[in-house]
Structures are given as C-alpha cells and as structure tokens.
Amino acid sequence: MHIRYQCTEDMNSRKLLSETRRTFPPTKARCQQPSRILIVDVTSPSWANTCSVLSEALENSLCLACSLTGPSRIPLLSLYLVQNQQECLLPFVHLKENFARVQACISELRSLSREGCFPQGGNGVVQAVQDGLQQFKQYSRHTAAGGSANSSVEITILTSQSGKEIVKQLERKLKDVDLVSLRRIQVIEVLKRDFLEPEDVEQCIPAEEPSSSDIAILGMDIDLQTIEDNVISLEMLFKTWLHDCGSEREHLHLLLPSGGLSCGTAPKPTLMCLKCDLQERLLDPNLLSGTTDGTLRTADLNSPCQMTAWPATMLYKLQVVKALKSEGVCESVLYGLPFIIKPTSCWQLDWDELELNQHSFHALCHSLLKRKWMLLAKHEPQNTCPSWNVVVHSYYIIVPSDSATLLVKPVAVRELLMPSDFPALLAEHPERVQSPIESALNSLEVEVTYNPLYLKSNLYKYLKSMLYRPLHRQQPQPRDQRAERHQPKQHQSRAKATVAPLLMAPSPAQLFRPAGVRRDSCAHSFLPTEDDKILH
C-alpha cells in the first residue's frame, strides 16, 4: 500500500538570512520537482557485486536527465556514501550544468569495489540523513534570501542490509530532527541474485512492482522497497525521478455523459468528471539534446493538437463523444506519443472526493474491458490564441488496460488523413516466390511479446559523449586524499560542501496491456509478464 506523505511546508515564506560559510550554486527559478539526496550504503559484503550495476544504472539515468531540454527534472543532486562513517561524495549541484562532476563521482563510486568492503554497524546511514537535511536547510536559506527556493527534498537510501533495521534506526534517531522540508524517505533494500551468472544480470527481469510497504513515523511515511541488483531494475528506479512529482493540482478532467434524466422529460445535459493525472509512457526523443538535426522541437503548449505531461502547466479537458469497438480501431490512424492516465493524487482534494474519484476510475476501466470498448474523446484548447479565427479540435483514443490505468493517444481526423488506395492481397502466389519467403520467416526467432528492455540503441553512450567535456575532466582522487576534505568540523555539519538532494519521488511503474488493437496490437508494458519468454 502506498500512502504518500503530503508536505505542508513553504520555505519561501521564511525570510531567513544566509549566514553559511559554504559556497552555494547560483539561485534558480522555483521548481516544483523535489531536490534529491542519494545515500549509498557500501558496508554490505555483497557491495562488490552491486557496485558495478549501481554505477552503470545511475550514470545512464543521469546522462538522460542532463540531456532533456526544458525545465530540469532533477534540479539538485547530492550523493552520500556510508562506510565507517558518512561521507558527502557530491555536494549540492545543479545536475544539468555538472555532468562532468557527477561522472567523476560515479567513477569514484566504482573504485570502491576494488578497495574492499567496510564493516557493518554504526549509525552512518542516520548520520547521512541528518547531515543531508542540515545542508538542505542551509541551502534553502541561501536561495530564499536570493528570491528563489526549492522547498522540498526527498531522500533515497540504497542498502543491502535489512531495510527494516534501517527504518528502526531512523525512527530512533530522527525524533528531534526538523523534518519540515522532507517530503519522503525511501529505503531501497537491494537483493542479490546468487543464481545468476554475471553475463545474465542485465537480462534479469525486474519485478513488475517492487515489493514495498509504508511505515508511518514522525508524522510522515518511510517507503520501504526491495529491488534486485541488476542494471535494469536500478535504472528503472532512478528513472522514476524524471516523472512529474507535482501534486498541487490534477492534470486532466475526463468528462463522461452522466446518463441520468432530469425531473422533466428532456435529458439533463450534465457531465461526470473524473479527475486524472497524466504520466509519460515514453520520453520524447525530440527532447534529447543532439539527437535530432537542426532545431529541437519542444512541446508547444499553445498548439491545438498537442498534449504534454511535462511540464504539467495547464489543465486538459477531454470530453468523451463516442465508444468504439476495440477491434474496429486501425493502428495506422493513431499517431504521436502515448500517455498514461491514472486517478489524480492531488493533495488539495478532499480525502472522500479522492476516494470516490479513484473508485469511479477503476469502475470505468473494468467496464471498458468487459465491453471490449475504447473511447473517442474531443479536446478543446482552454486558452485560444488571438491569431486563431476558429477553435481547432483534436481527438484522442482512450484504451483500457487490466491495470488501474488508461492509455491515451492522438487519433487522425479528416484533415490529416492521406489517400490510401491499396490493391487487395492476392489469394495465391507462385511456389517459386512463396517458398523462399516461408524459409526466411521460419529462420526467425519468435517472441510472444515485444519487450523493449532487450533492445539497445547505444543512446546512453551517445549522450555521454555529447555531455562529456575533456577540458573539465575530473579524475577521482585517492581516498586517503579525500579523507581530510570530508572530516566533520565543530561549527559545520559533517559534509564539507552544501548538499542538494537528487532523487525524485518515485511513482510506481505503470504496467499497461491494451485490451486489443486491430493490426499492430502491441503490449504497452515496459516490464514483461510472467508468460514472457527470455530469449537472451
């Protein structure tokens, strides 16, 4: 069960003077995304096996975050290591401007596997949490004095120790700590798969949803999850930071006919409104720096035919106008990027309203699956541009799934449709051409379901090469030279530099399987089902 802790703080309202001796990065415009602190516990005997996959997954995810145009999805990042004591490996940095520095820290993280493991025990994790919160408090004072603030922080702890024991330590030690700016603590227990060969680790199938529980302490929730120590699972964990974490308002109103009658004889023209959030199913390749020729296309919020889940700056309204049989929708008329629709988690709504809205959404998903229907919905721009003489409508197909989500995708209208006068398929073919085709097809491996996790495009390597700056190369320092740099002082907290947390509140990965689409029907889940065959 996931119950999200809703922050009530507003650090912007505090007019505090900056009296810190630390050097802070320049202030930025206010961001709704939380700052992230990543705490890596390296005291486990299995750290040598986890180190390489963790480093690769973290570097892959961060290079992706640095390459996305638009507002930063991970505005600030800080990295702690826990050995005999906590150590701030990476002070607060603006991620997009400091990939070379982040890459150097990850290289230093990789070097730990060669230096051996560290004894377990002690309160290093708790001390890292305390120090990170102290640094964030000082950073917030600095940015508030400059007219800008990032008001909340999330902490993610990666450990191979017992997650429940870590939670108990946090419960005992954080009683007197100021947690007003803390949105959530996430404890990730990394499990080792002893029966996997090293070459099979990356092909290991991650769980569809990490097993997790929420433990309420100190007026907030600690999210406890377990995850396997392979690149894919950890990469998907870090990619959750790229989702929109704002919960101040819903993203979408899905309008359905009420179906009721008024006291008179005429139907009452009322609409049922389901309040929903949008979540990206895929990253738009056009938003990745250097992956397109010429000028990059960014999402145009004023476009009559454009809907976007990032950044969520406007409220969309989709009015359902028709129901469609699932087998009657041709894949060729669908275009653009799909988005996931899910019940809103907006904290400003009353709890009873949230619960009713969620139940209604689930009932809609169930009924659509039972009837084998899709929905056709019309979208009207909320704010029409003065240059438009008429309002341009766009239309979307809404597809149900066996999870508590819907898939929405743009569908073609008459103005966009091109002629398609194609000849009918011949019933028979000469044997001299049919036999070679059959032989070629028989030589192919057949998969029951398409799994994108098995396909690589070398995109990560390309993005790293674009972000890498030889003039800013930073070699990891020997640990004996770093020891003095990170020693705690009396008037400062333990880390020498300011800390800015990196993690974004992870939302559970949405598994999506369409009810059925004619022609090119495909599975929308990025995680395989139990029936999937591992071919690699």
Side-chain angles (χ1 to χ4, degrees), residues 120-399:
Q120 298 187 42
N123 297 318
V125 170
V126 177
Q127 291 172 357
V129 171
Q130 293 173 329
D131 190 72
L133 289 174
Q134 177 64 25
Q135 301 312 315
F136 183 72
K137 184 178 180 180
Q138 294 186 23
Y139 176 82
S140 298
R141 288 177 178 175
H142 170 76
T143 54
S148 175
N150 190 277
S151 60
S152 64
V153 60
E154 291 197 6
I155 299 177
T156 296
I157 301 169
L158 288 177
T159 181
S160 296
Q161 299 185 48
S162 170
K164 292 183 179 180
E165 291 300 320
I166 296 294
V167 170
K168 290 179 181 178
Q169 292 180 27
L170 294 171
E171 185 177 14
R172 290 194 303 266
K173 300 293 184 179
L174 297 183
K175 293 180 180 179
D176 301 323
V177 177
D178 181 11
L179 302 178
V180 67
S181 61
L182 180 60
R183 180 181 291 189
R184 183 175 66 160
I185 295 180
Q186 186 181 33
V187 179
I188 306 296
E189 183 178 347
V190 182
L191 301 180
K192 184 176 182 297
R193 296 288 297 271
D194 294 323
F195 57 89
L196 288 177
E197 296 296 332
E199 61 270 19
D200 296 330
V201 170
E202 191 169 345
Q203 296 297 338
C204 174
I205 301 301
E208 292 184 358
E209 283 191 16
S211 59
S212 63
S213 61
D214 288 325
I215 302 174
I217 63 171
L218 310 171
M220 62 161 291
D221 291 329
I222 292 184
D223 186 13
L224 176 60
Q225 297 185 18
T226 58
I227 195 170
E228 296 173 0
D229 63 343
N230 61 76
V231 174
I232 291 178
S233 296
L234 289 168
E235 193 176 288
M236 289 300 172
L237 170 68
F238 295 137
K239 278 185 178 180
T240 58
W241 305 349
L242 304 181
H243 282 311
D244 179 18
C245 294
S247 58
E248 294 184 354
R249 59 177 296 179
E250 63 271 23
H251 302 161
L252 170 72
H253 284 177
L254 185 60
L255 305 176
L256 293 150
S258 64
L261 296 177
S262 62
C263 298
T265 57
K268 187 177 181 180
T270 58
L271 296 174
M272 178 191 306
C273 178
L274 297 183
K275 298 180 179 181
C276 310
D277 289 337
L278 288 175
Q279 181 175 301
E280 290 170 299
R281 187 62 184 86
L282 307 168
L283 286 174
D284 187 350
N286 292 309
L287 298 181
L288 293 172
S289 303
T291 56
T292 57
D293 296 329
T295 57
L296 290 174
R297 180 188 64 82
T298 57
D300 182 6
L301 299 181
N302 294 319
S303 171
C305 300
Q306 181 71 42
M307 190 164 67
T308 177
W310 176 271
T313 56
M314 62 184 300
L315 176 65
Y316 297 101
K317 291 185 178 181
L318 290 182
Q319 182 173 347
V320 176
V321 295
K322 284 185 180 181
L324 303 170
K325 291 288 187 179
S326 297
E327 64 272 13
V329 178
C330 179
E331 182 72 13
S332 67
V333 299
L334 302 179
Y335 67 96
L337 291 175
F339 293 103
I340 298 295
I341 301 179
K342 58 184 181 179
T344 186
S345 57
C346 175
W347 61 268
Q348 297 194 54
L349 298 181
D350 180 78
W351 176 256
D352 292 336
E353 183 181 0
L354 275 175
E355 187 176 27
L356 177 61
N357 184 77
Q358 185 179 62
H359 288 318
S360 300
F361 188 93
H362 289 191
L364 174 63
C365 295
H366 179 79
S367 297
L368 290 176
L369 280 176
K370 182 179 179 181
R371 296 169 182 247
K372 297 182 179 180
W373 281 6
M374 298 180 183
L375 297 178
L376 177 65
K378 180 177 69 174
H379 168 253
E380 292 186 9
Q382 299 301 303
N383 298 314
T384 59
C385 179
S387 63
W388 297 351
N389 295 323
V390 294
V391 175
V392 179
H393 303 286
S394 57
Y395 289 84
Y396 293 84
I397 290 291
I398 298 175
V399 187

Side-chain angles (χ1 to χ4, degrees), residues 1-172:
M1 180 179 72
H2 284 272
I3 304 176
R4 295 189 177 183
Y5 168 67
Q6 304 299 342
C7 297
T8 58
E9 81 287 28
D10 187 1
M11 302 273 307
N12 261 340
S13 64
R14 301 185 180 185
K15 304 301 182 181
L16 300 176
L17 297 177
S18 176
E19 298 179 353
T20 177
R21 299 177 180 175
R22 303 179 187 276
T23 301
F24 294 94
T27 57
K28 297 288 182 179
R30 179 178 176 87
C31 179
Q32 296 298 325
Q33 295 294 98
S35 298
R36 304 282 176 177
I37 298 176
L38 176 61
I39 299 174
V40 181
D41 179 10
V42 301
T43 60
S44 170
S46 62
W47 166 251
N49 298 320
T50 305
C51 175
S52 60
V53 295
L54 170 61
S55 301
E56 182 180 348
L58 184 60
E59 186 176 31
N60 289 344
S61 302
L62 295 185
C63 83
L64 201 61
C66 289
S67 302
L68 288 169
T69 60
S72 179
R73 305 194 183 202
I74 306 176
L76 295 168
L77 168 64
S78 180
L79 175 61
Y80 275 86
L81 294 181
V82 176
Q83 308 161 32
N84 297 324
Q85 62 180 8
Q86 95 284 356
E87 176 184 358
C88 181
L89 187 61
L90 180 68
F92 274 0
V93 294
H94 296 296
L95 186 61
K96 278 193 173 184
E97 304 166 1
N98 292 279
F99 182 72
R101 188 175 180 183
V102 171
Q103 196 175 42
C105 291
I106 294 175
S107 298
E108 196 167 351
L109 189 64
R110 284 192 178 97
S111 69
L112 292 177
S113 62
R114 299 190 297 270
E115 296 180 11
C117 300
F118 299 88
Q120 298 187 42
N123 297 318
V125 170
V126 177
Q127 291 172 357
V129 171
Q130 293 173 329
D131 190 72
L133 289 174
Q134 177 64 25
Q135 301 312 315
F136 183 72
K137 184 178 180 180
Q138 294 186 23
Y139 176 82
S140 298
R141 288 177 178 175
H142 170 76
T143 54
S148 175
N150 190 277
S151 60
S152 64
V153 60
E154 291 197 6
I155 299 177
T156 296
I157 301 169
L158 288 177
T159 181
S160 296
Q161 299 185 48
S162 170
K164 292 183 179 180
E165 291 300 320
I166 296 294
V167 170
K168 290 179 181 178
Q169 292 180 27
L170 294 171
E171 185 177 14
R172 290 194 303 266

